[in-house]
Amino acid sequence: MIHKPLFLFVISLTIFQLSTVYAQQKNRSEAIITGADQVEAYLPYLKNKKVGMVVNQTSIIGKKLSVDSLRSLGINIKSIFGPEHGFRANASNGAKVTDEIDPETGIPIISLYGKKRKPSKADVDAIDIMVFDIQDVGCRFFTNINTLADVMEACSENNKELLILDRPNPNAYIDGPILDMKFKSGIGKFPIPATHGMTIAEFAQMINGEGWLSAKRKCKIKIIPVKNYNHDLYYELPVKPSPNLNSQASVILYPSLCLFEGTIISQGRGTYMPFTVLGAPALKGKYQFSFKPVSIKGMSELPLHQDEECFGLDLRNENLDSLHAAGRINLQWMIEFYKAYPKKEKFFDSSQSKAMGKIENLIGNDLFKKQLTAGMSEEQIRKSWEPGLNKYKKMRTKYIIYP
């Protein structure tokens, strides 16, 4: 005979265990599922085709590189196309990447960040279909959307289809001024805000719809969308998207801190905590926190203020949930550092930095610098962005896949 208290305990425990299992199953069923992870949705489409893949270290199925997974499933991968930093992400920011043979698979790797940015006719003629599967971070100055456009251009010119395995955008908000096309560059090719609020697949639809390919061509695209995703969800990246975005904090802070690449302020390149700290030697005595950039192969060989002590802010303990929920670029740090910097005429001197470019190219206009030097408030600066942002948001609605 079972004791009544013991019997009730067993029943309660069983109910608890069952409810826990159900909750886990429910959470799993509602979890974000990337396009790449939905192998059953596109594997039959790739069977018996010669496949080209635009991929890097973020291109995973589960925890395994998608190239390896698809090869093991019998997909004929003829060539790999590597973006900035290369297929295995072992090249520094801005470094030219050469063509090579992948030592692990024997597949030719064609660099799209070396002698060319766009696959050649011969490259595309050698395949039946192109697959694009790269994690983006939602910023105009992160070069993956440029690579996307170049690949779409090559596919449209050669009548090849592009299969996009979509991934969430960890910075899926819309903020910053619209790029003035007078400042078009390698870190800004499209008339969009600094953070565009779209996934790669949504952006591809915008490229087609707005006629941004040459001669207003359209690329034939097929999309495997992300399941259980919307733009308000907080998404933690399973793989670092580039050598200098090596933590979730750096990914979330990147839209705000990358603007400092157009200044004399270091964002931590040359440390193992890039895009989570800010500082400069000239700020000694104004800040207690310090760091020293050094040359780090594969991350930053010639960082700004190399081997000099930089004084400034440590942002590693910022509340990432709050930053994500705010849905805006933080301008207060830029305003604070401009006010604190002793030699104002040197603040926007980015000539020592080998990373990006002038503030005009990063922010997208020549007004921001004037606004900052004139001492305008964040609210005043933001008000000047509103007409362009309102127009962009309306245009964007035509291309979004997710709520």
Side-chain angles (χ1 to χ4, degrees), residues 199-258:
T199 67
I200 281 287
E202 291 172 323
F203 199 82
Q205 294 190 145
M206 182 180 282
I207 289 172
N208 267 345
E210 296 303 308
W212 288 342
L213 299 181
S214 61
K216 297 194 180 295
R217 289 189 183 88
K218 285 189 173 15
C219 175
K220 183 182 179 184
I221 58 176
K222 179 179 175 65
I223 295 167
I224 307 299
V226 184
K227 282 186 177 179
N228 308 320
Y229 172 68
N230 67 67
H231 289 293
D232 293 327
L233 289 178
Y234 181 85
Y235 179 67
E236 186 161 350
L237 274 60
V239 180
K240 64 181 181 182
S242 73
N244 284 288
L245 293 183
N246 61 357
S247 66
Q248 182 69 6
S250 65
V251 170
I252 300 301
L253 289 165
Y254 180 72
S256 302
L257 269 59
C258 191

Side-chain angles (χ1 to χ4, degrees), residues 257-275:
L257 269 59
C258 191
L259 297 178
F260 283 90
E261 304 247 58
T263 74
I264 199 68
I265 305 298
S266 167
Q267 321 82 43
R269 288 189 187 271
T271 74
Y272 290 100
M273 49 189 179
F275 292 104

Side-chain angles (χ1 to χ4, degrees), residues 74-375:
I75 299 303
N76 180 17
I77 301 172
K78 295 292 289 184
S79 48
I80 296 168
F81 295 85
E84 184 180 5
H85 306 298
F87 170 48
R88 304 253 175 214
N90 50 11
S92 299
N93 52 285
K96 302 292 183 187
V97 183
T98 58
D99 294 351
E100 59 179 332
I101 301 296
D102 182 43
E104 296 189 27
T105 63
I107 300 173
I109 301 175
I110 299 165
S111 174
L112 299 181
Y113 210 83
K115 293 180 180 178
K116 61 187 178 188
R117 294 289 194 270
K118 185 175 82 171
S120 68
K121 177 174 171 47
D123 295 334
V124 182
D125 281 346
I127 62 174
D128 298 319
I129 189 169
M130 187 79 82
V131 176
F132 193 101
D133 176 28
I134 294 179
Q135 177 66 60
D136 194 46
V137 297
C139 298
R140 184 181 63 220
F141 30 76
F142 201 65
T143 60
N144 288 343
I145 55 173
N146 299 348
T147 300
L148 172 68
D150 291 335
V151 171
M152 289 176 66
E153 187 92 52
C155 288
S156 69
E157 290 171 351
N158 297 281
N159 197 30
K160 296 293 169 71
E161 187 175 21
L162 180 65
L163 173 66
I164 300 174
L165 307 180
D166 209 11
R167 293 181 178 273
N169 177 356
N171 294 303
Y173 55 89
I174 302 164
D175 201 21
I178 305 299
L179 174 68
D180 181 338
M181 294 303 278
K182 289 189 301 185
F183 299 102
K184 180 180 177 180
S185 69
I187 52 171
K189 292 179 65 173
F190 308 103
I192 59 174
T195 53
H196 50 71
M198 306 185 87
T199 67
I200 281 287
E202 291 172 323
F203 199 82
Q205 294 190 145
M206 182 180 282
I207 289 172
N208 267 345
E210 296 303 308
W212 288 342
L213 299 181
S214 61
K216 297 194 180 295
R217 289 189 183 88
K218 285 189 173 15
C219 175
K220 183 182 179 184
I221 58 176
K222 179 179 175 65
I223 295 167
I224 307 299
V226 184
K227 282 186 177 179
N228 308 320
Y229 172 68
N230 67 67
H231 289 293
D232 293 327
L233 289 178
Y234 181 85
Y235 179 67
E236 186 161 350
L237 274 60
V239 180
K240 64 181 181 182
S242 73
N244 284 288
L245 293 183
N246 61 357
S247 66
Q248 182 69 6
S250 65
V251 170
I252 300 301
L253 289 165
Y254 180 72
S256 302
L257 269 59
C258 191
L259 297 178
F260 283 90
E261 304 247 58
T263 74
I264 199 68
I265 305 298
S266 167
Q267 321 82 43
R269 288 189 187 271
T271 74
Y272 290 100
M273 49 189 179
F275 292 104
T276 61
V277 297
L278 291 168
L283 294 172
K284 184 177 182 178
K286 299 196 175 187
Y287 294 93
Q288 294 300 311
F289 172 73
S290 70
F291 59 92
K292 183 182 288 188
V294 297
S295 179
I296 303 176
K297 186 173 177 56
M299 288 184 69
S300 187
E301 277 85 357
L302 295 169
L304 178 65
H305 303 311
Q306 182 175 339
D307 300 323
E308 296 182 78
E309 198 79 15
C310 294
F311 298 84
L313 292 177
D314 181 358
L315 303 173
R316 286 173 291 176
N317 293 320
E318 290 288 310
N319 187 311
L320 300 186
D321 288 329
S322 296
L323 288 172
H324 178 265
R328 66 195 313 195
I329 291 167
N330 186 309
L331 290 183
Q332 286 304 312
W333 293 324
M334 181 72 75
I335 293 169
E336 175 184 336
F337 273 84
Y338 179 75
K339 287 179 179 178
Y341 202 77
K343 297 180 180 179
K344 300 288 188 286
E345 71 281 2
K346 295 287 187 183
F347 186 78
F348 290 104
D349 178 12
S350 60
S351 60
Q352 295 181 53
S353 174
K354 307 296 181 184
M356 296 292 258
K358 294 181 178 180
I359 189 65
E360 291 84 357
N361 300 114
L362 284 157
I363 196 68
N365 64 34
D366 56 2
L367 185 60
F368 180 72
K369 182 176 176 180
K370 296 171 186 174
Q371 291 170 327
L372 206 65
T373 55

